Amino acid sequence: MITTGTTSGADATTVDVVVLGLGAGGEHAAIKLAREGLEVVGVEKDLVGGECPFWGCTPSKLMIRGAHVLAEARHVDELAGRATVEPDLAPTARRIREANHDWSDDGHSLPLQEAGVRLVRGRGRLDGPGRVVVESTRGTAVYVARRGVVLATGTEADAPPVPGLAGTPHWTNKEVVHATAAPARLGVLGGGPIGAELAQAFARFGSTVTLLEAGPRLLGPEEPEASAAVTAAFTREGIDVRTGTEVRAVEHGDGEFRLSLPGGEVVVDELLVATGRRANLRGIGLETVGLDPDAGRIEVDEHLRAGDRLWAVGDVTGEGPFTHVAKYQAVGVVADLLGRAVRPADYRALTRVTFTDPEVGAVGLTEQQARGAGVDVRVGLADVPRSSRGWMHGPGNEGVVKVVADAERGVLVGGTVVAPYGGEVMGLLSTAVHAEVPVEVLRGMHFPFPTFQRAVETALRRLDL
């Protein structure tokens, strides 16, 4: 039974667990704990479900799907006959709106409540161990958690300190998915996964795209071979890729953005800022539980514990800004809160996919990361266009497979597949890294012909082991 009392002079409601933030990880944890019979309060200031379904994974991949169809249609003349392509973002915009129910979270909030979670809409903050204060239009509510609090406050777009940028109506991932037409000219700041994916999508929908990246290459954390393949594809499609570029100032007026660069000026109709994200850690009372609100992440142990009766999941832990990581962590938190045995969190085989065309699927360590960790590295490479499936695929077959092995142990510690549907080819390498399957065992497997997995086989055979 939920009980109420007085804590530090304020009426407080006592429950088993309070989940602060109901994105992918928080939502998953709250539902599972409630179904186990615990009294759970879920606190959310925006939409239940978080970034992924409303402003991230789902709408962006719907946009990418439409763009991919356009790209395939443009290959008809080379491969299968004649076709005229007239891009139109409107059908994709309609699919996004329908998928999001016009940005209503009923599809997430109702199942949450049906599972027994008490949904509290408002801005929550910690107020000491196990204690959460929520401010909303209805007033102030205080909750005390017997078992603990789960922090899952996620991240938000982080714009660079470019003079003039803050005062402009630029897009972030939240505004861009509301677009109903492709702008004639689009500028994209940031060559990471979000910037790269959407730059290519809008180019395929007819925008003239200028992609500006401050670093030396696109997709900087990934393998340089992956960056080179994606850059080549972008250039072929007419995207103006500029790396090592500093934007000195931004002005907006008369419906245009003017970007001042060292070598001149770029003028665009819309500007997408995709330069990174920051954890939502300020204003949530971390200092009341002995944590630093100015830190870039919440440090957790192998069971996601961050302090006394305090757990954290998702982007705030800094283990990877991915929905699958948040849900993976939520499973561990639920087990730990219920006192059940659970394997410690393991990120050795963390998988990630950038949904450009070609897709970049990767798992584990890059070559540079492995060398930095002191691994006796061996590398195997295979060109996708020279593989059987790559050759048959024809236009749009840029890509490479790279495997990174620990020579001392004879196992893979990382792998990258850059290819059409590269993310779908990652299962084999993900299993190999996670389970530490000996390379000799992998080399003895059957690789179906003709599939992109044959390029994985070639890369494995080129390892000097």
Side-chain angles (χ1 to χ4, degrees):
M1 177 181 293
I2 296 177
T3 59
T4 61
T6 301
T7 304
S8 300
D11 289 338
T13 301
T14 301
V15 296
D16 289 316
V17 178
V18 176
V19 180
L20 185 53
L22 295 172
E27 179 184 24
H28 187 83
I31 287 177
K32 294 297 183 182
L33 290 168
R35 287 175 177 169
E36 290 286 344
L38 270 62
E39 301 159 350
V40 180
V41 167
V43 181
E44 178 54 57
K45 64 182 178 61
D46 292 316
L47 298 182
V48 176
E51 292 280 326
C52 185
F54 297 106
W55 304 291
C57 321
T58 300
S60 68
K61 301 320 172 268
L62 287 170
M63 190 176 291
I64 290 166
R65 169 57 179 157
H68 184 75
V69 170
L70 289 170
E72 284 294 282
R74 292 182 177 114
H75 292 314
V76 168
D77 285 5
E78 299 172 79
L79 299 175
R82 298 289 182 270
T84 300
V85 180
E86 296 181 8
D88 183 2
L89 189 60
T92 288
R94 183 170 60 251
R95 290 189 73 204
I96 291 173
R97 189 176 64 251
E98 290 171 351
N100 286 335
H101 305 286
D102 280 326
W103 284 270
S104 164
D105 67 1
D106 287 352
H108 293 265
S109 61
L110 294 180
L112 188 84
Q113 294 173 90
E114 289 169 359
V117 178
R118 178 189 292 187
L119 174 59
V120 179
R121 295 187 183 272
R123 187 175 296 274
R125 57 179 171 83
L126 295 166
D127 189 31
R131 180 182 167 97
V132 175
V133 177
V134 183
E135 306 283 352
S136 71
T137 56
R138 296 184 177 183
T140 301
V142 180
Y143 299 93
V144 176
R146 301 184 190 95
R147 300 203 182 193
V149 175
V150 180
L151 287 177
T153 49
T155 57
E156 61 184 3
D158 189 15
V162 177
L165 178 62
T168 67
H170 63 269
W171 286 346
T172 68
N173 67 299
K174 285 199 169 182
E175 291 82 18
V176 70
V177 298
H178 289 271
T180 57
R185 300 167 298 178
L186 174 67
V188 179
L189 297 188
I194 296 173
E197 289 175 354
L198 293 178
Q200 186 179 43
F202 275 95
R204 290 177 165 185
F205 274 107
S207 297
T208 297
V209 176
T210 303
L211 176 54
L212 306 171
E213 166 57 38
R217 57 186 176 87
L218 301 184
L219 306 180
E222 300 296 350
E223 297 283 12
E225 293 86 354
S227 172
V230 171
T231 301
F234 281 17
T235 301
R236 176 176 54 79
E237 294 188 26
I239 299 173
D240 182 3
V241 178
R242 306 189 191 186
T243 56
T245 300
E246 175 193 4
V247 180
R248 293 178 171 174
V250 176
E251 295 180 0
H252 181 265
D254 298 326
E256 294 181 337
F257 291 84
R258 295 185 177 275
L259 284 63
S260 175
L261 308 177
E265 186 178 70
V266 171
V267 181
V268 294
D269 301 296
E270 297 291 352
L271 178 63
L272 169 62
V273 177
T275 51
R277 302 184 67 79
R278 62 173 177 268
N280 293 318
L281 299 181
R282 294 185 179 181
I284 62 170
L286 291 181
E287 66 280 0
T288 70
V289 293
L291 298 178
D292 182 3
D294 295 321
R297 58 180 289 188
I298 295 177
E299 297 286 345
V300 295
D301 67 12
E302 66 272 18
H303 296 295
L304 290 311
R305 301 167 187 158
D308 178 23
R309 287 185 292 161
L310 185 65
W311 288 257
V313 300
D315 294 3
V316 295
T317 67
E319 296 294 349
F322 309 112
T323 295
H324 54 279
V325 171
K327 289 187 175 181
Y328 167 80
Q329 292 175 324
V331 170
V333 167
V334 169
D336 202 39
L337 269 163
L338 293 173
R340 297 173 180 170
V342 59
R343 290 182 178 179
D346 182 358
Y347 306 103
R348 291 175 302 109
L350 178 63
T351 53
R352 53 206 183 269
V353 180
T354 299
F355 292 88
T356 48
D357 183 13
E359 283 183 5
V360 180
V363 61
L365 301 177
T366 63
E367 178 184 356
Q368 181 180 3
Q369 289 170 334
R371 294 190 186 281
V375 175
D376 184 7
V377 170
R378 298 292 186 275
V379 171
L381 289 165
D383 292 326
V384 168
R386 299 184 66 180
S387 70
S388 53
R389 179 63 182 276
W391 179 81
M392 294 175 187
H393 189 88
N397 65 357
E398 292 96 346
V400 64
V401 173
K402 182 174 183 177
V403 290
V404 181
D406 180 339
E408 182 178 348
R409 295 187 295 140
V411 299
L412 297 182
V413 293
T416 297
V417 178
V418 186
Y421 314 108
E424 306 301 331
V425 186
M426 286 306 302
L428 168 65
L429 293 179
S430 179
T431 299
V433 174
H434 181 80
E436 299 183 335
V437 180
V439 170
E440 286 307 308
V441 172
L442 297 172
R443 285 171 169 169
M445 292 173 55
H446 299 281
F447 292 81
F449 178 90
T451 67
F452 288 115
Q453 288 191 46
R454 300 286 290 188
V456 176
E457 179 188 33
T458 300
L460 288 168
R461 294 197 178 281
R462 289 178 176 170
L463 282 169
D464 184 18
L465 290 177

